[in-house]
Amino acid sequence: MKILIAADMEGITGVTNWDQVDPNHSEYARFRRLMTHDINAAIRGAGDAGADNILVTDGHDRGTNILIEELDPRAHLICGDFSPLAMIQGIDQGVNGVIFVGYHARAGSQNGILDHTWSSRRVANLWLNDILVGEYGLNGAVAGHFGIPVLMLTGDQTACAQASELLGNIETVVVKTALSRMAAECLPPPVTQDLIQNAAKRAVKGLINGQAPKPFTVTVPVQVTIDFNTSEQADQAAIFPGSRRLDGRRLTITADDMLAAYLAFQAAVALVSL
Ligand SMILES: [Zn+2]
């Protein structure tokens, strides 16, 4: 039983502002430790349930946030960048289920801590076909491309609600209740770690018992539509081969499958300056 824990940082216990997830800020050292502890709780739960092979992927910023020296030794860590599967690197390595830890609401959400989709200064909205998605949906669809279900997500109440609406009957752990974009009522780490451990145990047990949610699959070919923050950014991305400009800020790309769509999305966004 092989589980991938794909981690981001904005939805980690206690995180409410950008300083806390910025490697150049003094607050960051505390929150990368808390990130590691949230992940360790998920590893314990997955391990308790019978996962004997656990991969952790560090998906925030440059992928160098998790403290390997404090990571539960049952897991292997995929870290650093660039890797083609980015936030969900490892999904093609014979994984049976995915757990998202530290995820956040999609760009433009109300009461979502640090809500954004991939790049807060570049992407205003992202659609897969006609489905408005955040990173939970984008990465969840890549998992679905490989036939793998998302089992669980941790983050604030809005991230959990958006993921449940799209991905079905997954386990969710609300580690904080967002009161705005940068304020939340936060549960303390010992409490969230218990919640995460128990949810991960239930999630992996459910998978073992054949009760996992269905993989999230999008119909192919996949229409990736990006609404950039500015018309200038859409101008820059419009050199992407085969893309079609819809209006001032929106560009659309048709991809043969979800893996190609993921790579095209990353490439189009990489063309854009801040
Ligand atoms: Zn993110």
Side-chain angles (χ1 to χ4, degrees):
M1 177 55 52
K2 186 167 184 176
I3 298 296
L4 175 67
I5 298 174
D8 202 357
M9 198 163 186
E10 290 83 356
I12 291 297
T13 298
V15 168
T16 57
N17 71 44
W18 293 113
D19 292 346
Q20 296 162 341
V21 300
D22 174 1
N24 300 310
H25 197 281
S26 59
E27 275 286 274
Y28 169 77
R30 292 176 55 216
F31 289 90
R32 67 190 303 200
R33 174 159 287 114
L34 288 170
M35 179 185 188
T36 307
H37 293 171
D38 278 9
I39 293 162
N40 279 343
I43 295 169
R44 285 195 299 276
D48 289 350
D52 51 5
N53 198 333
I54 302 173
L55 267 179
V56 173
T57 294
D58 190 335
H60 177 69
D61 197 55
R62 299 176 62 196
T64 52
N65 311 283
I66 295 164
L67 296 166
I68 192 168
E69 62 273 34
E70 292 188 17
L71 190 68
D72 188 307
R74 276 173 282 192
H76 289 193
L77 177 63
I78 297 175
C79 51
D81 68 358
F82 294 92
S83 45
L85 294 173
M87 296 185 73
I88 198 154
Q89 189 68 38
I91 197 71
D92 57 346
Q93 294 181 26
V95 167
N96 300 107
V98 192
I99 291 174
F100 290 154
V101 171
Y103 266 52
H104 49 80
R106 64 177 176 258
S109 300
Q110 186 177 355
N111 295 338
I113 291 296
L114 306 180
D115 64 304
H116 68 281
T117 301
W118 201 266
S119 169
S120 60
R121 292 162 71 187
R122 289 181 276 211
V123 179
N125 288 292
L126 169 66
W127 291 266
L128 299 175
N129 299 326
D130 54 1
I131 309 167
L132 184 62
V133 296
E135 293 166 24
Y136 57 90
L138 179 65
N139 295 319
V142 178
H145 170 83
F146 290 98
I148 299 161
V150 177
L151 308 177
M152 169 175 155
L153 180 140
T154 80
D156 65 25
Q157 82 279 21
T158 306
C160 289
Q162 290 177 357
S164 293
E165 187 188 358
L166 187 66
L167 304 174
N169 191 25
I170 63 170
E171 291 283 342
T172 56
V173 179
V174 176
V175 301
K176 54 197 167 190
T177 303
L179 308 169
S180 69
R181 190 173 195 226
M182 293 209 254
E185 179 179 328
C186 299
L187 295 173
V191 174
T192 59
Q193 285 164 27
D194 268 358
L195 293 171
I196 293 169
Q197 180 173 347
N198 291 334
K201 188 173 174 180
R202 283 194 302 274
V204 174
K205 273 222 166 101
L207 176 63
I208 289 169
N209 295 334
Q211 291 156 355
K214 280 197 204 68
F216 169 53
T217 53
V218 292
T219 52
V220 293
V222 186
Q223 199 72 39
V224 181
T225 303
I226 308 167
D227 180 20
F228 288 98
N229 278 0
T230 69
S231 54
E232 186 180 7
Q233 292 173 332
D235 291 342
Q236 292 167 334
I239 62 169
F240 188 88
S243 66
R244 197 157 53 84
R245 186 76 171 264
L246 297 179
D247 55 26
R249 297 192 325 205
R250 287 187 308 152
L251 192 81
T252 193
I253 300 164
T254 306
D256 288 343
D257 59 31
M258 190 54 224
L259 181 56
Y262 194 53
L263 300 179
F265 168 72
Q266 292 181 59
V269 173
L271 290 171
V272 170
S273 57
L274 293 174

